[in-house]
Amino acid sequence: MAVPKKRTGKSAQAKRRANWKGTVPATTTCKNCGSVVLTHTVCPECGTYKGKVVSIKGQNAPVETKEEVKESKKASKKAEAKEEIIEAEVVEEKPKRTRKKKAETAEAETKEDKE
């Protein structure tokens, strides 16, 4: 059996172990219910995988087809566009503020005092 001639120092040991980092598992959102799911796994909430029901949980859940999803996205985009147009119409431009000259303001004040 091999026996090391010298003991490994703490810094050398730490440098070697620096690459032992844990990684965060890759996650995605379920296309059917929107919950966070590990990639390449069945959704634990609705029981679907790649848009198909594959679990007992998913048999009772309603499954949306791709056409329904596309139509709902189009409808929401149209609604957002209409809201933006309405908001643009509602906003009115304020008149620009102009600075009065000191002489004009003094004249206006004297007129008010006389009345």
Side-chain angles (χ1 to χ4, degrees):
M1 186 164 135
V3 178
K5 288 190 176 182
K6 292 186 178 179
R7 182 177 175 196
T8 305
K10 291 180 183 178
S11 64
Q13 186 177 7
K15 287 177 188 175
R16 186 176 64 245
R17 290 184 181 164
N19 295 319
W20 288 13
K21 299 172 193 167
T23 58
V24 178
T27 57
T28 59
T29 56
C30 177
K31 293 180 182 178
N32 190 31
C33 66
S35 64
V36 178
V37 184
L38 290 172
T39 55
H40 307 291
T41 57
V42 176
C43 177
E45 301 296 323
C46 62
T48 58
Y49 180 70
K50 291 186 177 180
K52 298 178 183 177
V53 178
V54 294
S55 177
I56 297 172
K57 276 189 175 182
Q59 290 178 354
N60 297 333
V63 179
E64 295 180 356
T65 61
K66 290 183 180 179
E67 294 172 359
E68 292 174 359
V69 173
K70 287 180 183 178
E71 290 175 7
S72 64
K73 286 182 181 179
K74 286 181 183 177
S76 64
K77 286 182 182 179
K78 287 181 182 178
E80 289 175 5
K82 287 180 182 178
E83 290 175 4
E84 290 177 3
I85 292 170
I86 292 169
E87 290 175 2
E89 292 175 357
V90 171
V91 176
E92 297 177 4
E93 292 185 26
K94 295 180 181 178
K96 293 182 179 179
R97 294 181 65 185
T98 57
R99 295 186 181 198
K100 294 182 181 179
K101 295 181 181 177
K102 290 182 181 179
E104 291 177 8
T105 55
E107 290 175 9
E109 289 177 3
T110 55
K111 288 181 183 177
E112 290 176 5
D113 291 338
K114 289 180 182 178
E115 293 176 2

